[in-house]
């Protein structure tokens, strides 16, 4: 759906994005991760042409973005930045309605869309429509910011450190909410973060950048099992690798035949959760239940440990 093709950006003699290429499949969430100054934001902003590339091109559904008028491009691509970027003197409803109004949707359709989005983000329209941004908590402001970016149903959403201003507990909830909404709407998302845990939590694919270059573009599991170089290997953290792998793998992949005592785990639990339960209950194995609650086998400490080891 989005093809980033040999994209570069230079400021004077300084190359801040150096010949980066990768493809983002429709309906997936790609995280661009790397340390500060790696060129992540610049790369993101070249996708909606807030920054003009020095070389290379971006294709959206095969169409070169240079052929699309800038205002149309901005309407087709949602953009969320750190903090919320909401208009402080406009109500929540007016903030969310910004792009639909620019597109001259009729008033009833705009009002309907605002209510629908508030519902989707679990903000009661009766309570929140008329509030101003400063009357909301940080987490609520962030949700309104994302709702505003999604208002005109953009096919693509760009997010630059969207959760950077939230504290750890709210951030984790905000990440889960984003995943739920992304799965439900099927929106294609490219999200920039310096937080590797966030990248592993959210990314269908992760693009690792350092010093203007793309070092690796892969699934989270591939990044852990086959890091492209020493930098990526250090970044994914040798000590945490087994745990990250277990978090990415579901119990269904480690079910063994047989019976076990205790409260069952479910097929969709992660192996990380299952191992925690095993350690906590002091058992060697626990039964596994499917979605209907029927016992389909067991999961064991030994079986789980097989999955926490990267292949040789
Ligand atoms: P990241 O998002 O990974 O922190 P950025 O894309 O913001 O990285 O910046 C990459 C590099 O480009 C930084 O060294 C930054 O100082 C430089 N840079 C960004 N924008 C400009 C600009 N408009 N003019 C000059 N240098 C810039």
């Amino acid at each position: 759906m989005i093809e980033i093709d040999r994209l570069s950006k230079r400021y004077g003699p300084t190359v801040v994005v150096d010949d980066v290429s990768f493809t983002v499949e429709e309906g997936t969430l790609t995280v661009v991760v790397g340390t500060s100054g790696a060129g992540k934001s610049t790369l993101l902003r070249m996708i909606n042409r807030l920054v003009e590339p020095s070389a290379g091109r971006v294709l959206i559904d095969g169409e070169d973005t240079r052929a699309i008028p800038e205002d149309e491009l901005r309407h087709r691509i949602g953009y969320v930045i750190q903090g919320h970027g909401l208009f402080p003197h406009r109500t929540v409803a007016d903030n969310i309605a910004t792009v639909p109004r620019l597109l001259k949707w009729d008033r009833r359709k705009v009002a309907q869309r605002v209510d629908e989005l508030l519902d989707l983000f679990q903000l009661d329209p009766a309570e929140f429509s008329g509030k101003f941004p400063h009357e909301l908590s940080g987490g609520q402001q962030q949700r309104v910011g994302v709702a505003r970016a999604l208002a005109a149903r953009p096919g693509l959403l760009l997010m630059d450190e969207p959760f950077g201003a939230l504290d750890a507990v709210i951030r984790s909830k905000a990440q889960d909410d984003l995943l739920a909404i992304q799965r439900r709407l099927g929106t294609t998302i490219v999200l920039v973060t310096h937080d590797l845990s966030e990248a592993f939590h959210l990314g269908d694919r992760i693009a690792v950048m350092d010093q203007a270059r793309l070092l690796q573009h892969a699934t989270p599991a591939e990044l852990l099992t086959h890091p492209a170089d020493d930098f990526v290997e250090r970044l994914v953290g040798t000590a945490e690798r087994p745990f990250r792998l277990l978090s990415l793998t579901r119990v269904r992949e480690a079910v063994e035949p047989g019976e076990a005592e205790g409260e069952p785990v479910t097929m969709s639990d992660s192996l990380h959760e299952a191992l925690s339960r095993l350690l906590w209950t002091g058992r060697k194995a626990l039964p596994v239940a499917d979605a209907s609650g029927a016992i389909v086998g067991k999961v064991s400490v030994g079986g789980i440990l097989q999955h926490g080891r990267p292949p040789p």
Side-chain angles (χ1 to χ4, degrees), residues 122-154:
Q122 293 161 23
L123 297 164
D124 177 10
E127 186 184 346
F128 285 95
S129 291
K131 288 199 170 174
F132 288 90
H134 71 88
E135 297 175 287
L136 307 178
S137 72
Q140 290 166 344
Q141 289 171 345
Q142 201 273 345
R143 275 182 275 162
V144 175
V146 181
R148 182 178 63 177
L150 292 174
R153 299 195 178 82

Side-chain angles (χ1 to χ4, degrees), residues 11 16 35-43 192:
Y11 289 109
V16 301
T35 49
S36 173
K40 307 181 297 293
S41 291
T42 306
L43 177 70
V192 160

